[in-house]
């Protein structure tokens, strides 16, 4: 147990378990939303609109969410977010029980779910320093990544099975998961921020102070910009994997197995994040991740089965939680408590600002020019990203020296 101190941290594990339950419910409904819209309307475009409603808040609401997270009680905000998300999912359940939910209701619930997820995520980053010691922050970020990838392995296949049983069941599962998350968060003992002797400033300052802090930290600003350029690759890669698997004749079941393989790759990276940090520098992880991504994308040119495609995307995902834990953990440790929400918001807002572009570009390229062109387009973008990461002076210098992960060396 000495090697896994987080497992003995009652409040962190209670908090983590509640968030894991919520994440599993959300991954279940992620599959159920497009299935429901397709069942009701038969329109892929409408299903895409619901997907956009869930992704868009990550880009447009992160900064306001950060200001709220620093201005108000983070624990209460997380509980309130879960409560509203629970009511939204329950409204879909009720509408399905009594008849046919309107598409507008589904779009609104999906948008609220995405927006409140952003608020909860940013509050969570600010809460971590109050739940774990400073030398365990990177481990806690890695364990949170493991939570996400674990849910991504179980949730989508479970959502499909539950939807096949009854359309309302995945949304009922999501409703119950939010109730569990609310309860777990409420039962944690620490406050999620320090007592504030002075006001945190105006809402306008909430939109600017996070940017000011990031601008003064070249490593974290550069890392966020690189993540912003890389996230469209990953979101586009998921769609590309589906299109390629279908193009080569894979069944829906095979596509489900493919994404389970992808989730397993990310889970392994999260589990191995701590030993990887002992052996590699943050620059080696960030730069290496991008060059491995280039290789994996190019190998898709000769991958003709769903499981091979899944293995390649899993390999591309493997180092993502390692890099996230190194960058995110050291940034959380460095950020003053009264700025945690705003800095997390700026970082997340930058990193997720272009995520929506990936599926759009891949879908258009695949439909208009074919599989090879789509793969080469993604590979070209990834090559440019790898070169930029390799050449970036701030990445070469690494994070501030006092934030080097001494505990892991």
């Amino acid at each position: 147990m000495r090697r896994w101190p987080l497992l003995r941290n009652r409040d962190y594990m209670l908090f983590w378990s509640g968030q894991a339950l919520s994440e599993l419910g959300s991954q279940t409904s992620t599959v159920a939303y497009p299935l429901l819209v397709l069942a009701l309307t038969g329109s892929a475009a409408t299903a895409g609109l619901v997907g956009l409603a869930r992704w868009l808040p990550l880009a447009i609401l992160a900064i306001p969410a950060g200001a709220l997270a620093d201005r108000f009680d983070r624990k209460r905000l997380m509980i309130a977010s879960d409560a509203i998300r629970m009511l939204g999912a329950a409204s879909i359940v009720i509408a399905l029980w009594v008849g046919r939910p309107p598409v507008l209701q589904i779009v609104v619930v999906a948008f609220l779910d995405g927006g409140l997820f952003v608020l909860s995520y940013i509050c969570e980053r600010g809460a971590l320093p109050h739940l774990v010691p400073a030398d365990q922050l990177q481990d806690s970020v890695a364990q949170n990544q493991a939570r996400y990838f674990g849910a991504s392995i179980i949730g989508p296949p479970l959502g499909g099975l539950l939807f096949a049983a009854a359309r309302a069941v995945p949304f009922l599962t999501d409703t119950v998961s939010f109730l569990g998350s609310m309860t777990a968060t409420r039962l944690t003992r620490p406050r999620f921020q320090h007592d504030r002797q002075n006001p945190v400033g105006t809402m306008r300052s909430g939109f600017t102070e996070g940017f000011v802090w990031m601008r003064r930290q070249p490593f974290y600003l550069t890392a966020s910009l690189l993540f912003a350029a890389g996230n469209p690759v990953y979101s586009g890669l998921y769609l590309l994997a589906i299109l390629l698997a279908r193009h080569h004749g894979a069944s829906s079941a095979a596509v489900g197995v493919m994404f389970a393989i992808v989730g397993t790759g990310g889970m392994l990276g999260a589990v191995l994040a701590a030993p990887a940090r002992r052996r590699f520098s943050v620059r080696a992880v960030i730069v290496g991740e991008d060059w491995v991504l280039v290789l994996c994308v190019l190998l898709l040119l000769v991958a003709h089965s769903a499981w091979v495609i899944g293995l390649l995307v899993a390999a591309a995902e493997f180092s993502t939680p390692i890099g996230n834990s190194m960058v995110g953990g050291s940034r959380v440790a460095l950020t003053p408590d009264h700025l945690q929400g705003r800095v997390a918001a700026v970082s997340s807002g930058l990193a997720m600002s272009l995520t929506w572009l990936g599926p759009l570009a891949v879908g258009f390229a695949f439909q208009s020019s074919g599989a090879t062109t789509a793969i080469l387009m993604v590979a070209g973008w990834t090559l440019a990203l790898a070169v930029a990461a390799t050449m970036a002076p701030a990445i070469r210098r690494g994070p501030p020296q006092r934030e080097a992960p001494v505990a892991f060396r």
Side-chain angles (χ1 to χ4, degrees), residues 19-321:
Q19 295 302 305
L21 185 61
S22 173
E23 189 69 54
L24 179 60
S26 296
Q27 288 288 338
T28 300
S29 64
T30 294
V31 172
Y33 273 111
L35 289 176
L36 176 60
V37 173
L38 289 172
L40 294 175
T41 68
S43 169
T46 305
L49 178 63
V50 174
L52 176 64
R54 296 196 83 189
W55 277 107
L56 192 58
L58 275 68
I60 66 174
L61 297 181
I63 304 302
L68 290 173
D70 284 339
R71 193 174 183 86
F72 300 103
D73 187 291
R74 293 171 189 152
K75 182 181 287 188
R76 292 182 179 178
L77 284 173
M78 292 189 73
I79 293 172
S81 295
D82 281 343
I84 297 172
R85 295 171 78 187
M86 179 183 69
L87 293 174
S91 75
I92 301 292
V93 175
I94 294 170
L96 285 168
W97 277 346
V98 300
R100 177 188 178 98
V103 171
L104 179 60
Q105 177 189 357
I106 300 171
V107 171
V108 170
V109 170
F111 184 85
L112 284 174
D113 186 68
L116 292 169
F117 162 77
V118 173
L119 177 59
S120 184
Y121 173 82
I122 289 172
C123 287
E124 176 185 314
R125 286 301 174 99
L128 285 179
H130 304 273
L131 292 166
V132 303
D135 63 350
Q136 295 174 19
L137 278 171
Q138 293 188 350
D139 278 343
S140 69
V141 174
Q143 189 161 315
N144 290 354
Q145 292 276 299
R147 179 188 78 205
Y148 168 78
F149 285 109
S152 70
I153 295 171
I154 301 170
L158 179 62
L161 290 174
L162 294 178
F163 189 86
R167 293 177 180 178
V169 176
F171 302 100
L172 180 61
T173 301
D174 203 13
T175 302
V176 174
S177 76
F178 287 128
L179 180 61
S181 177
M182 289 168 56
T183 304
T185 301
R186 179 65 182 84
L187 291 175
T188 56
R189 292 171 297 194
R191 295 192 62 192
F192 290 175
Q193 64 243 74
H194 296 307
D195 291 328
R196 297 187 178 117
Q197 303 300 322
N198 300 311
V200 298
T202 65
M203 287 297 288
R204 180 179 178 181
S205 69
F207 297 125
T208 59
E209 291 178 2
F211 283 109
V212 171
W213 189 94
M214 285 286 286
R215 194 178 64 223
R216 293 172 178 171
Q217 302 292 335
F219 171 79
Y220 298 111
L221 179 59
T222 303
S224 291
L225 293 173
L226 288 173
F227 292 164
N231 277 329
V233 175
Y234 285 102
S235 62
L237 191 59
Y238 300 148
L239 177 59
L240 181 60
I242 294 173
L243 295 173
L244 286 173
R246 286 294 199 181
H247 178 70
H248 294 300
S251 65
S252 297
V255 171
V257 172
M258 177 181 73
F259 274 99
I261 293 172
V262 173
T264 302
M267 170 70 86
L268 288 174
V271 170
L272 296 175
R277 289 196 304 271
R278 289 195 295 266
R279 291 168 174 80
F280 303 103
S281 69
V282 64
R283 178 176 185 260
V285 171
I286 292 175
V287 173
E289 175 184 353
D290 289 336
W291 284 107
V292 169
L293 184 58
V294 174
L295 177 62
C296 291
V297 172
L298 287 173
L299 287 175
L300 289 174
L301 290 167
V302 294
H304 295 159
S305 67
W307 71 269
V308 173
I309 295 169
L311 286 173
L312 290 173
V313 180
E317 281 278 22
F318 174 77
S319 60
T320 298

